[in-house]
Amino acid sequence: GSFCAKYLVDYDERCLLDAVDIYEPSSMNISAALKPGVPVTDAAGSATRQTWQGSRVSSITLSDGTIVELGASIIYDGNKLAVQMLEGDSTLSAGRPFYPGKEKAKSEEGRPIKSGFGIYNGNGEWLLNTAPMWSLARKVALLWRYNVDLFRISQAASSAITSFELIYELLESNQPATFLDSPDEIWESVGLKKLSLVTFDEFLDAIGVCREVEGWRSYIPYQGCIRTELLSAASINNYNQATNQMNGLSGLVSFIPTKGKLFGVEGGNYQLIGSALKQAQSTRSSECKEKGNKKNIKHVAKEVTTVIGDLETGMELFSGEESLGNYDVVILAAPLQHCGTDFFVKSHLDGAVLQPMPVSGMIDSDEADANTHQHITPSLPSSATRPYTQVTTSVVSN
């Protein structure tokens, strides 16, 4: 939401926006709100529910100074939007990924720091552990364990990066043809739509990645299946979804960081969220002096529970029984099935009657069979209805 506010303000060169409100019940400084053993509270000090709305970018600071990233734990240097946001704030700096915090780093200065990763199966066995290895040995170990499948997924990731980088060119262009109406149009314009319409498992089948170690590889020691080990672990940790639940494009994103460098924001990646809001406010004040009140771009610590659409007054937001005002445009920056928000529209016959809002849009009768009102409501995409795999982050500290 805060990133969206920043981009809207940057694009609004004629200062036509009246206001941008970002609704998030918890603090923008999510690290301060998260403490070991202490429930998360909203701005009023009340404990928020377990499925609270808000950013997934968060971290927690342990008593010894260690900073543990709980969501969006690493940033890929090919993510130009995140890099630009970081470069736009002189108070932020990039450090190595999983940075433990200045206090912790200072206390352990001079000690060797191990890097690498491991895959643990939960039954007392490490399927793969590269932490004790040198860089070259780590590469050899991965190549030996996954061999041809590693090449296949690596080649697919390189191809996807080439296509995805075309999106940045579209963003920089003001040509009418580059203003697209939906994510599907974006993916189609850069050649990634087919990848977004199949599951990650189906995509891996298509490029020949094995489902289990078999054939000649079953006779070679220390062989593993990259799908059930590395790719499944990355998918569940990054997206709370298994490879058969998420689409091929999202699944491939988990592997793309292997094509570049990774970094983290010193002090916690959550700082990018608040920084985006501050940058939006600063731009608004300097570029729109007549309307440049920072309060026009603000964070509202409220949970949106209901959205009611009306053709005349726009969309009215509610937090419980409290009206939060009317808006011309509402952007939902959260999974639809887990946002905890009800969507309604007022009946055109009786404004006191509420009907479910067709959040999946309408289909023109010229393009498809329609009902008596010449409109039909299409089905929601599977991404808006499928369940997510629950993942618990466990922090163990001496």
Side-chain angles (χ1 to χ4, degrees):
S2 60
F3 270 52
C4 184
K6 170 68 165 59
Y7 302 137
L8 285 173
V9 171
D10 286 348
Y11 186 75
D12 186 29
E13 296 179 351
R14 296 167 59 190
C15 303
L16 299 178
L17 287 172
D18 291 326
V20 177
D21 294 338
I22 304 171
Y23 286 94
E24 182 173 328
S26 58
S27 168
M28 281 282 188
N29 183 0
I30 195 63
S31 181
L34 294 175
K35 299 178 181 179
V38 179
V40 178
T41 59
D42 59 21
S46 301
T48 57
R49 59 183 186 170
Q50 190 174 3
T51 54
W52 55 286
Q53 293 172 327
S55 171
R56 71 182 181 93
V57 187
S58 58
S59 65
I60 188 169
T61 302
L62 305 182
S63 58
D64 64 358
T66 301
I67 295 175
V68 179
E69 297 287 355
L70 302 179
S73 56
I74 53 176
I75 302 174
Y76 169 52
D77 67 350
N79 185 339
K80 294 183 180 180
L81 300 183
V83 171
Q84 288 173 2
M85 200 66 71
L86 177 68
E87 293 174 343
D89 190 337
S90 60
T91 66
L92 300 181
S93 57
R96 63 181 179 84
F98 304 111
Y99 186 71
K102 292 181 180 180
E103 181 182 338
K104 179 71 171 178
K106 186 176 181 180
S107 68
E108 295 191 347
E109 190 173 351
R111 297 184 184 181
I113 298 176
K114 292 182 178 180
S115 61
F117 69 94
I119 301 175
Y120 182 68
N121 66 3
N123 297 320
E125 179 185 0
W126 284 90
L127 300 176
L128 182 66
N129 185 2
T130 68
M133 303 178 183
W134 295 99
S135 177
L136 179 59
R138 190 179 304 136
K139 293 179 180 178
V140 172
L142 289 172
L143 182 58
W144 177 265
R145 187 167 185 83
Y146 301 130
N147 51 76
V148 66
D149 283 346
L150 186 61
F151 281 110
R152 286 168 177 159
I153 192 68
S154 180
Q155 194 170 32
S158 296
S159 177
I161 289 174
T162 301
S163 298
F164 189 86
E165 287 180 342
L166 296 175
I167 293 178
Y168 297 117
E169 297 180 14
L170 296 177
L171 291 175
E172 295 295 330
S173 174
N174 287 322
Q175 294 297 319
T178 65
F179 288 80
L180 306 175
D181 292 331
S182 68
D184 280 347
E185 287 191 17
I186 295 175
W187 300 136
E188 187 168 20
S189 67
V190 299
L192 292 174
K193 184 177 180 180
K194 288 184 178 179
L195 189 56
S196 71
L197 296 178
V198 298
T199 68
F200 194 27
D201 263 345
E202 290 171 334
F203 170 71
L204 294 176
D205 287 339
I207 64 174
V209 174
C210 72
R211 286 180 174 266
E212 60 183 19
V213 177
E214 56 186 1
W216 61 269
R217 291 185 58 205
S218 61
Y219 297 100
I220 302 176
Y222 305 112
Q223 294 292 289
C225 179
I226 195 171
R227 182 200 300 241
T228 58
E229 294 179 3
L230 182 59
L231 299 180
S232 291
S235 297
I236 292 174
N237 276 278
N238 291 342
Y239 302 107
N240 290 4
Q241 297 180 76
T243 53
N244 64 340
Q245 292 177 303
M246 62 193 311
N247 68 55
L249 181 60
S250 299
L252 199 56
V253 167
S254 293
F255 194 82
I256 283 178
T258 63
K259 297 297 181 177
K261 295 182 179 180
L262 303 176
F263 69 90
V265 179
E266 292 193 8
N269 294 337
Y270 72 90
Q271 296 172 101
L272 277 180
I273 306 303
S275 176
L277 176 59
K278 288 189 295 183
Q279 291 182 51
Q281 292 173 331
S282 176
T283 300
R284 180 73 170 184
S285 296
S286 61
E287 302 297 330
C288 305
K289 294 183 178 179
E290 293 183 2
K291 293 184 178 181
N293 189 335
K294 287 187 177 181
K295 292 183 179 180
N296 290 341
I297 314 293
K298 64 181 185 296
H299 165 228
V300 182
K302 295 283 187 179
E303 178 184 6
V304 177
T305 57
T306 307
V307 177
I308 298 178
D310 185 278
L311 293 177
E312 297 181 357
T313 61
M315 296 189 182
E316 185 174 8
L317 307 187
F318 288 84
S319 180
E321 299 296 324
E322 176 188 1
S323 174
L324 303 174
N326 292 75
Y327 294 84
D328 297 314
V329 177
V330 173
I331 300 174
L332 177 65
L336 180 63
Q337 65 272 50
H338 298 295
C339 67
T341 304
D342 295 318
F343 295 87
F344 299 102
V345 291
K346 291 184 178 180
S347 170
H348 66 283
L349 299 176
D350 184 352
V353 176
L354 300 180
Q355 300 171 333
M357 180 185 294
V359 291
S360 54
M362 305 295 281
I363 294 179
D364 197 311
S365 59
D366 292 338
E367 300 178 4
D369 294 334
N371 57 23
T372 55
H373 299 289
Q374 300 306 306
H375 290 291
I376 62 173
T377 303
S379 300
L380 285 167
S382 60
S383 59
T385 57
R386 72 166 67 97
Y388 282 63
T389 302
Q390 184 176 7
V391 173
T392 302
T393 299
S394 299
V395 179
V396 180
S397 176
N398 293 329

